[in-house]
Amino acid sequence: MKSLELLRRNLQITFDQEDWFVPLRTAVEGVTAEQANWRPAGEKANTIAEIVAHLNFYKSRLLQRLRGEEPNYDGLSNDDTFKPDEAGWQAAVAEMNRIHAELEETIGKLDDEALDRPLPKQALGLTLNSILLHDAHHGGQIVYIRKLQGSWPAARSFD
């Protein structure tokens, strides 16, 4: 399997195709605004809505760079990226789905040589791999938050 093929496959399983872990779309499926804004105990605990905002921020930035645009974020820190969408929870989920579809379409047009191109500092292939691992990491956090709040199914079946 070629590197680009593997990245495309990982893009699918981290977002919407069940594999060894819950994909992001499944992790947020059926979450209400109230559940999305529920905060677990702990000073640094994030809500599901904050995590989705964070993921949307970084994937949107990646899309801009893939299009040859240079994002301007005026000194935002990583903590600043955890600010929920002011338009509300359903808008944030719609944005997550839109960004993923555009990312999948854009990556679908790449060839293997593109993976070695710097974006902006490290190779595109490494950047894509990192963002997919980032989605898997935070998807797991969302599932855990849902388990804490009692909104995750007690039993699930999958193939």
Side-chain angles (χ1 to χ4, degrees), residues 56-116:
N56 286 350
F57 173 87
Y58 281 107
K59 287 172 84 173
S60 178
R61 183 177 76 165
L62 173 62
L63 262 175
Q64 288 178 294
R65 287 183 170 154
L66 284 168
R67 293 178 180 143
E69 304 164 12
E70 188 50 44
N72 179 7
Y73 297 112
D74 296 328
L76 288 178
S77 71
N78 186 61
D79 288 343
D80 294 331
T81 69
F82 286 92
K83 302 288 185 240
D85 191 324
E86 290 181 14
W89 172 242
Q90 294 306 320
V93 172
E95 179 74 355
M96 179 189 78
N97 290 323
R98 182 196 63 77
I99 291 168
H100 176 79
E102 288 183 30
L103 191 56
E104 196 165 23
E105 180 183 341
T106 303
I107 291 170
K109 295 175 184 175
L110 297 176
D111 57 24
D112 281 316
E113 290 75 37
L115 297 179
D116 293 325

Side-chain angles (χ1 to χ4, degrees), residues 5 10 50 55 106 109 117 143 151:
E5 227 178 306
N10 287 341
E50 289 169 340
L55 293 173
T106 303
K109 295 175 184 175
R117 185 178 83 221
V143 169
S151 69

Side-chain angles (χ1 to χ4, degrees), residues 22 27 38 40-41 48 51 137-152:
V22 175
W38 180 84
I48 294 171
I51 293 169
H137 164 73
H138 285 300
Q141 287 180 323
I142 291 169
V143 169
Y144 188 69
I145 291 169
R146 291 190 64 189
K147 287 180 178 184
L148 289 174
Q149 68 185 204
S151 69
W152 190 250

